[in-house]
Amino acid sequence: MPKPTFFRLAEAKRARLIKAAYDEFSRAPFPDASISNIIKDAGIPRGSFYQYFDDKSDIFFYLLDRTRSQTEALFEQAMTAHDGDLFGMMGDFFDAAIDKLLVGTHREFYANVFLYMDFHHAAHFSSKAAKSQEPHHKKAFLSYTLEHVDRSRLRAQSDEEVSMLFRQVMWVFMQSIGYYYSRLKAGENVSPASLKARMAKMLNWLEYGAVDAKEESHD
């Protein structure tokens, strides 16, 4: 993660370095990205870079951590807007996350992360950074859910049951993201709108069941 000197930089200089890092990791997957390109675009000497970050993986994980923080904020906003309705808030959260990942300013960066699994390459070179990232985001989402979800709307009541349900709901998102990027890698075009519709359908099945009530009544 950044050294204290990074946070003492003037805001404009810090923003320029962050933008240069996003641009470079958007241009190339992690193994091919270059510190030389980052410092050239940021307009800083190589020595200055190492006053702010230990290495390439350090700044890469910092960008991922920024994404985690922003995503947590989206998650909490959705939970608040839906008064703890798990499925209602997840629908909005998934839509907002899709907009950020697939349509937003840094979509090429996220594509490189998911297509090439850059964080695994980075972890090979920076185990400290990898450990700092590992399960924090999952625990943060789950902890917030356990504290704020409206259990009166659910058949799941205990923390263990809500945790199980939460993981199933999050699987819908992760499976859909994997589906999108695997299709993209195969040269197919999947629009963000169709991906949102796909996730909404799976969430609906999870919330209400996949069995047609009319068919069930005939048994």
Side-chain angles (χ1 to χ4, degrees):
M1 299 304 291
K3 299 176 182 179
T5 49
F6 174 75
F7 297 105
R8 291 197 290 267
L9 284 172
E11 185 176 349
K13 188 172 184 179
R14 190 166 62 244
R16 193 164 64 245
L17 178 53
I18 291 170
K19 181 181 183 302
Y22 271 122
D23 288 347
E24 180 60 10
F25 290 119
S26 298
R27 181 195 67 81
F30 178 83
D32 301 325
S34 165
I35 289 178
S36 295
N37 289 337
I38 294 174
I39 62 176
K40 179 181 177 180
D41 289 348
I44 63 172
R46 181 175 288 270
S48 294
F49 176 87
Y50 290 107
Q51 290 178 8
Y52 311 137
F53 295 94
D54 287 333
D55 50 27
K56 182 173 68 173
S57 63
D58 203 18
I59 194 169
F60 178 79
F61 273 104
Y62 173 64
L63 298 184
L64 292 183
D65 194 58
R66 283 169 56 88
T67 299
R68 175 194 58 76
S69 297
Q70 294 162 5
T71 305
E72 284 180 10
L74 291 175
F75 188 90
E76 293 175 9
Q77 290 165 12
M79 182 72 82
T80 300
H82 285 272
D83 296 322
D85 175 6
L86 179 64
F87 286 93
M89 68 80 57
M90 280 297 192
D92 280 1
F93 169 66
F94 288 169
D95 283 356
I98 288 300
D99 287 339
K100 180 177 181 61
L101 293 173
L102 309 188
V103 186
T105 304
H106 303 303
R107 57 189 176 277
E108 291 89 357
F109 168 73
Y110 299 123
N112 275 338
V113 170
F114 283 96
L115 283 171
Y116 300 100
M117 294 292 118
D118 292 325
F119 47 86
H120 290 311
H121 293 286
H124 177 72
F125 296 105
S126 182
S127 59
K128 180 179 179 181
K131 289 177 181 178
S132 72
Q133 300 302 311
E134 204 254 324
H136 174 80
H137 63 289
K138 294 179 182 177
K139 289 182 178 179
F141 287 142
L142 177 57
S143 296
Y144 193 85
T145 299
L146 290 173
E147 184 176 351
H148 294 90
V149 72
D150 182 356
R151 302 189 191 202
S152 69
R153 308 185 191 195
L154 302 174
R155 292 170 63 189
Q157 291 297 303
S158 69
D159 282 0
E160 181 180 359
E161 290 175 340
V162 173
S163 297
M164 290 168 60
L165 179 59
F166 170 83
R167 292 186 178 95
Q168 287 296 309
V169 172
M170 288 302 294
W171 178 88
V172 169
F173 179 73
M174 296 309 298
Q175 192 275 343
S176 297
I177 291 295
Y179 165 82
Y180 173 84
Y181 284 112
S182 66
R183 299 280 66 78
L184 188 67
K185 196 169 186 177
E188 300 176 26
N189 181 37
V190 179
S191 70
S194 65
L195 188 64
K196 289 179 181 181
R198 186 178 191 272
M199 287 194 297
K201 182 177 289 188
M202 287 194 288
L203 276 179
N204 182 272
W205 288 342
L206 189 56
E207 183 175 9
Y208 298 108
V211 175
D212 190 317
K214 296 189 296 295
E215 291 296 323
E216 193 175 46
S217 66
H218 293 161
D219 293 342

